[in-house]
Amino acid sequence: MFKTLMLTTAAFAVSAGMALADGKVIGFSQIGSESGWRAAETTLTKKQAEERGYQLQFSDAQQKQENQIAAMRSFIAQGVDAILIAPVVATGWDAVLQEAKEAEIPVVLLDRMVDSDPSLYLTAVGSNLVHEGEVAGQWLAATVGDKDCRIVELQGTTGSSPAIDRKTGFEKGIAGHDNLKIVQSQTGDFTRSLGKEVMESFLQAENGGKDICALYAHNDDMAVGAIQAIKEAGLKPGQDILVVSIDAVPDIFKAMADGEANATVELTPNMAGPAFDALEAFWANGTEPPKFIQTESKLYTQADDPAGQYEARKDLGY
Ligand code: AHR
């Protein structure tokens, strides 16, 4: 009897979900594929859409805002049922968001924020980006203690909300610790290759790296590139230069397991799950989600079984 009830309930839930998904088309404007984290977000969004029975129109903007705006206009012209967008930079979205609103197409922002009026989008799914930077800064301050520490910083894409907020947050995290100073700070555009290149210039400027005590990178991919540069300069990343970054991708856990990175703050790549849940409630009965749906930010260090974390994540699409 109980089993029959469970099966009936499950069948109803599936058919209700399918009814909601039935024929729905979702436009997804992705930034590009600058990092392992971004690749995982793309994989999980496609998977979630498939599991929920949506037809996903995927557009890769190759890091260009104009491509994202063109993709959004094309989704609006097609009359899609909803638009997901990971906005590459924070400014310049008002006009196209207004167009989507006038076409009555709900827009959900994924992982990055915009400076537009929140009435122009349904909701945003993301982490507290300032908090992520603050956690990284606090970890470094606690680890270094009273020692003088010259920090080099690899920033994310200029004008993007994670680059702006993770910088602010880190500065907040080390505030009041006068022995910690950011002595070099430049963008590495969230990529491994630029992370390495910019780190090489930091090493040169800082006595071959001997004057650097720590690297703070706004994402793990830049940290992984920088680790390579540190090794090529004859220094030991993780020991001579402490490495703290953000994302929690498998490769940083590998580096942590090898003693070459020290800490990372997790950003979940599953932004699509909460986004689709919000859209489904909105379609079902007009439920307005909160304007910001916050995901968790957890700190991992070398004490948190990095080898196990690597194994658990390595096949997840990063
Ligand atoms: O917006 C999230 C950031 O974008 C991730 O931390 C980074 O890896 C990505 O490129």
Side-chain angles (χ1 to χ4, degrees):
M1 171 66 182
F2 177 71
K3 199 173 164 193
T4 314
L5 188 66
M6 289 298 283
L7 285 172
T8 315
T9 311
F12 174 76
V14 169
S15 68
M18 291 310 282
L20 276 176
D22 197 19
K24 291 237 188 299
V25 179
I26 313 287
F28 176 28
S29 170
Q30 178 59 291
I31 293 170
S33 49
E34 74 280 6
S35 64
W37 185 90
R38 183 70 50 204
E41 187 192 49
T42 297
T43 304
L44 284 174
T45 306
K46 288 180 177 171
K47 192 163 170 261
Q48 285 273 344
E50 198 185 328
E51 283 171 7
R52 294 174 191 239
Y54 300 123
Q55 190 197 321
L56 193 76
Q57 303 273 341
F58 179 75
S59 171
D60 178 335
Q62 309 202 332
Q63 319 297 322
K64 292 196 173 71
Q65 183 178 34
E66 63 264 33
N67 290 347
Q68 292 202 285
I69 292 175
M72 278 191 71
R73 293 207 162 114
S74 155
F75 295 149
I76 295 167
Q78 283 175 61
V80 298
D81 296 287
I83 295 173
L84 306 180
I85 179 165
V88 62
V89 290
T91 58
W93 300 99
D94 291 1
V96 76
L97 287 174
Q98 184 65 42
E99 289 163 35
K101 189 174 181 180
E102 280 161 17
E104 296 183 9
I105 299 174
V107 174
V108 179
L109 310 179
L110 300 187
D111 73 87
R112 296 189 186 182
M113 293 303 291
V114 298
D115 71 351
S116 302
D117 192 284
S119 66
L120 295 178
Y121 53 86
L122 181 71
T123 185
V125 182
S127 63
N128 181 334
L129 297 162
V130 174
H131 177 67
E132 288 175 344
E134 195 175 358
V135 168
Q138 285 169 344
W139 173 84
L140 187 62
T143 303
V144 162
D146 293 338
K147 199 181 102 184
D148 280 342
C149 183
R150 292 168 67 82
I151 304 162
V152 297
E153 177 183 31
L154 284 166
Q155 297 182 34
T157 301
T158 305
S160 69
S161 63
I164 298 164
D165 291 349
R166 287 174 183 168
K167 180 164 188 51
T168 305
F170 185 80
E171 285 167 0
K172 215 169 145 196
I174 61 168
H177 300 269
D178 296 340
N179 53 319
L180 271 71
K181 278 195 181 52
I182 300 173
V183 292
Q184 305 280 345
S185 182
Q186 260 186 56
T187 182
D189 210 14
F190 283 129
T191 67
R192 209 171 273 216
S193 56
L194 215 58
K196 178 168 188 275
E197 203 176 305
V198 177
M199 188 68 200
E200 282 164 357
S201 70
F202 288 165
L203 289 160
Q204 252 182 14
E206 295 292 324
N207 191 21
K210 292 185 194 69
D211 291 347
I212 303 173
C213 135
L215 161 70
Y216 166 50
H218 291 192
N219 82 346
D220 290 342
D221 276 70
M222 291 189 294
V224 170
I227 286 169
Q228 189 57 35
I230 296 169
K231 289 202 280 192
E232 284 171 17
L235 294 170
K236 290 196 178 97
Q239 291 179 39
D240 298 328
I241 298 181
L242 298 172
V243 178
V244 55
S245 52
I246 294 170
D247 275 355
V249 304
D251 283 355
I252 205 72
F253 285 112
K254 200 165 193 300
M256 280 163 70
D258 293 343
E260 295 180 343
N262 305 86
T264 186
V265 183
E266 183 173 30
L267 174 69
T268 175
N270 182 20
M271 300 279 156
F276 286 138
D277 289 346
L279 281 166
E280 283 162 15
F282 179 69
W283 286 324
N285 53 21
T287 304
E288 288 278 346
K291 279 294 167 188
F292 185 60
I293 301 170
Q294 194 177 320
T295 61
E296 292 288 314
S297 313
K298 180 174 166 8
L299 175 76
Y300 288 88
T301 68
Q302 289 178 351
D304 296 308
D305 183 21
Q309 289 296 333
Y310 172 76
E311 283 302 318
R313 288 159 200 257
K314 71 178 183 354
D315 297 323
L316 296 180
Y318 284 95

